[in-house]
Amino acid sequence: MLACWFGVDRSTITRAISEVRPLLAERGCTVSPDVRLRTLAEVVDHLGSSGTTGIIDGTEIRVRRPAAGRKGRDKFISGKNKQNAVKSMVVTDGEGRVLWCSQARPASCADITHARQLGLVKLLAGGPAVEILADAGYQGLGAQTGGRVVTPPHRKFKKNAPDWYEEMYERQRKAHSSRRIRVEHGIAHLKNWRALARHLGRREHMGDTVQAVAALLSHQQTVDLHSTRQT
């Protein structure tokens, strides 16, 4: 369609997209007109300097299944959704604004393993005192980061729990969920882009595609927030 609009060959549009995609991915997420976050280390420093609460979560994007007989075919199968997908870790602030997205990995990787491989534990353990909210998939990171990662409370009673404990547990769980839900809103805005709802292109481009969309979305959110404050 773009080739028809501009009166050029389809290969010309394909080449232009392949050149623009990595440039957008390297642009980083816009926090303010003069601040962009390109790495997870910069995100942690920003949260520490601004005193902002961060929220992390993993999101899966469906992709085409690798051809039969290809090495590593099963590693794209998600253990949660039982479908072929890639996974990216998303970081937002307390308002749900996207601060950073990681490169995509095969969806068989667990959320907590992905976070460790990205170096989150090392950055938090020796970094500023920040608060990062996460779901039960990241339980265990709190002890490794000095309490900087906050996950839902552990359930101490497997069965026959007292009534007072059930009430307290549900109250704590809902309080944590109500604070953490903003990251789901940020992911929903990312998934509004058709390329991230279900990717039908080449899987090796997914890493740049996710970060490019995050860069465009964060810029839009920053412009909207700046316009609202001016009015």
Side-chain angles (χ1 to χ4, degrees), residues 76-90:
F76 287 92
I77 299 178
S78 167
K80 179 170 62 176
N81 296 322
K82 309 301 181 184
Q83 62 186 13
N84 291 274
V86 293
K87 176 178 293 184
S88 177
M89 189 177 82
V90 180

Side-chain angles (χ1 to χ4, degrees), residues 44-75:
V44 172
D45 290 340
H46 168 73
L47 294 176
S49 61
S50 62
T52 306
T53 296
I55 315 175
I56 62 173
D57 198 9
T59 182
E60 295 184 355
I61 303 162
R62 292 185 64 186
V63 295
R64 292 186 297 182
R65 189 178 186 184
R70 178 170 293 184
K71 184 179 179 180
R73 188 185 190 204
D74 293 338
K75 68 181 181 179

Side-chain angles (χ1 to χ4, degrees), residues 84-105:
N84 291 274
V86 293
K87 176 178 293 184
S88 177
M89 189 177 82
V90 180
V91 184
T92 70
D93 61 12
E95 300 300 321
R97 295 176 56 209
V98 177
L99 302 180
W100 186 73
C101 284
S102 72
Q103 284 277 327
R105 286 184 52 84

Side-chain angles (χ1 to χ4, degrees), residues 55-210:
I55 315 175
I56 62 173
D57 198 9
T59 182
E60 295 184 355
I61 303 162
R62 292 185 64 186
V63 295
R64 292 186 297 182
R65 189 178 186 184
R70 178 170 293 184
K71 184 179 179 180
R73 188 185 190 204
D74 293 338
K75 68 181 181 179
F76 287 92
I77 299 178
S78 167
K80 179 170 62 176
N81 296 322
K82 309 301 181 184
Q83 62 186 13
N84 291 274
V86 293
K87 176 178 293 184
S88 177
M89 189 177 82
V90 180
V91 184
T92 70
D93 61 12
E95 300 300 321
R97 295 176 56 209
V98 177
L99 302 180
W100 186 73
C101 284
S102 72
Q103 284 277 327
R105 286 184 52 84
S108 60
C109 180
D111 287 349
I112 189 170
T113 302
H114 192 194
R116 287 168 176 159
Q117 292 174 348
L118 291 170
L120 181 63
V121 173
K122 184 181 295 185
L123 290 171
L124 293 178
V130 299
E131 180 187 49
I132 295 183
L133 306 179
D135 63 11
Y138 296 91
Q139 281 184 344
L141 290 186
Q144 297 176 353
T145 59
R148 288 172 173 82
V149 176
V150 182
T151 56
H154 286 278
R155 189 179 185 88
K156 296 182 179 180
F157 293 88
K158 297 293 184 180
K159 52 186 177 180
N160 300 326
D163 292 340
W164 64 266
Y165 178 80
E166 288 288 353
E167 182 181 351
M168 180 187 68
Y169 175 80
E170 285 299 317
R171 185 169 62 251
Q172 292 176 346
R173 186 186 62 80
K174 289 180 179 180
H176 179 84
S177 179
S178 64
R179 296 184 64 200
R180 197 196 64 83
I181 194 64
R182 295 303 181 93
V183 71
E184 303 291 351
H185 299 164
I187 291 175
H189 288 307
L190 286 171
K191 293 294 185 71
N192 284 337
W193 295 67
R194 182 175 296 181
L196 302 188
R198 182 177 181 183
H199 187 69
L200 300 177
R202 301 175 68 90
R203 288 181 303 278
E204 53 266 32
H205 294 157
M206 272 306 303
D208 285 344
T209 300
V210 171

Side-chain angles (χ1 to χ4, degrees), residues 23-24 26-39 42-43 46 99-100 215 218-219 222:
L23 293 177
L24 287 174
E26 293 172 3
R27 187 176 189 270
C29 292
T30 305
V31 178
S32 62
D34 56 343
V35 177
R36 293 179 186 170
L37 305 177
R38 298 179 174 85
T39 65
E42 292 179 354
V43 173
H46 168 73
L99 302 180
W100 186 73
S218 66
H219 177 75
T222 301

